[in-house]
Amino acid sequence: IVTIPIDSGGTANVRLVQINETEEGILEFTGVRCDYNATNYLASLAPATTPPAQTTNNVSSVGYSQSLFIEVPPLNDAETLPRVMVAIHGYGEPGWPGAVLYRSVDGGATYNSVLTSFRTPTIGMVASITPAPTDYHVWDTTTNISVTLKQGTLSNSTDLAVQNGANWCMVGEEVIGFVNATLTGPNTYTLSRLLRGRQGSEVKCGLHNPNELFALLNDQLTVIPVDYADINKTVKYKTVTIGSDISKVTAVDVRPFGLNMRPWAVAQPNAVKQVNGDWYITWI
């Protein structure tokens, strides 16, 4: 039940009976009037009684939403088309109703809805620079990464599970797997026993910066397909909280590079000179 103003003056108590979402992400409410706060209720063969106090739920702000677009290397052999991953969130506020993502390919003149998301990705920030490992081929048992989450939680795993893709995350542009996630403060975890440079990101191990994005690579991230024609082109996106209006949202520019379509660095290169002077070069 909500209290709303009426055109003739005063207010009315309305019970919401239906909510519909339009294609623009706007919510339409249907309600029936329910002014039941009379002084007394009269019942047959019963004395007058005072009704219980009415509970009125005032409409609160739907809040802001944001999309964090992340270029992630290919995570499995099934990825054959370009894509970006996006963490759509409501800044961790309770009661976030979800958001609609809109896309414009004509410089912001028109927007079309891409998807609606109610997911809660695990995201945060790594304040300190993550040092490079001594060797990314083996477990990094000396580096500890402190991450402060904006929303979500982290948990421990096992060596085998991490080797198979569990607890993988993006720290900046490096894909890292972690076994231990120790809670050290409010929303703050220390990650240890790490697998570094996963999925061809070993070239990023020593290129970290302060205040980098942390994103857990799980199914709470949303995958957005990218057309080949849009690679290296700027596309505008707006993230509109359900119940808000697209005109109130500032667009962000996204330029996908098609990282998941780029080949990894080669391994075990070998060159053998042939008797005729040619070179026979192989690699994995």
Side-chain angles (χ1 to χ4, degrees), residues 73-74 136-137 197-204 259-269 282-284:
Y136 64 86
H137 294 94
R198 301 292 91 191
Q199 302 302 100
S201 65
E202 69 277 359
V203 295
K204 303 296 183 179
L259 178 62
N260 69 307
M261 302 301 294
R262 300 189 178 190
W264 296 347
V266 300
Q268 301 179 23
T282 60
W283 65 88
I284 297 176

Side-chain angles (χ1 to χ4, degrees), residues 3 25 53 92 144 208 212 217 235 238 240 273-274 277:
T3 300
N144 293 326
H208 288 278
E212 285 186 317
L217 298 178
V235 179
K238 286 190 174 186
V240 184
K273 190 174 183 179
Q274 308 298 299

Side-chain angles (χ1 to χ4, degrees), residues 111-224:
Y111 284 87
N112 295 313
S113 61
V114 177
L115 54 88
T116 300
S117 177
F118 306 95
R119 299 179 178 182
T120 54
T122 300
I123 53 176
M125 298 293 294
V126 177
S128 301
I129 297 177
T130 302
T134 303
D135 185 353
Y136 64 86
H137 294 94
V138 297
W139 290 97
D140 181 352
T141 58
T142 60
T143 302
N144 293 326
I145 300 175
S146 178
V147 54
T148 300
L149 296 182
K150 301 297 183 183
Q151 64 178 34
T153 59
L154 300 175
S155 59
N156 297 332
S157 188
T158 64
D159 286 11
L160 180 59
V162 173
Q163 288 172 324
N164 288 327
N167 271 6
W168 281 15
C169 63
M170 289 291 291
V171 177
E173 297 182 79
E174 182 187 356
V175 179
I176 299 176
F178 60 92
V179 173
N180 303 317
T182 305
L183 186 64
T184 57
N187 303 318
T188 301
Y189 292 82
T190 295
L191 311 182
S192 60
R193 190 162 179 80
L194 312 173
L195 277 182
R196 303 290 300 274
R198 301 292 91 191
Q199 302 302 100
S201 65
E202 69 277 359
V203 295
K204 303 296 183 179
C205 287
L207 301 178
H208 288 278
N209 298 301
N211 299 317
E212 285 186 317
L213 173 68
F214 170 93
L216 189 65
L217 298 178
N218 60 11
D219 57 6
Q220 295 304 300
L221 293 176
T222 302
V223 176
I224 300 179

Side-chain angles (χ1 to χ4, degrees), residues 18-39:
Q18 185 174 347
I19 304 175
N20 293 320
E21 182 183 355
T22 69
E23 293 182 356
E24 293 78 19
I26 297 175
L27 299 183
E28 296 179 340
F29 296 87
T30 302
V32 294
R33 190 161 179 166
C34 56
D35 288 329
Y36 60 77
N37 269 6
T39 303

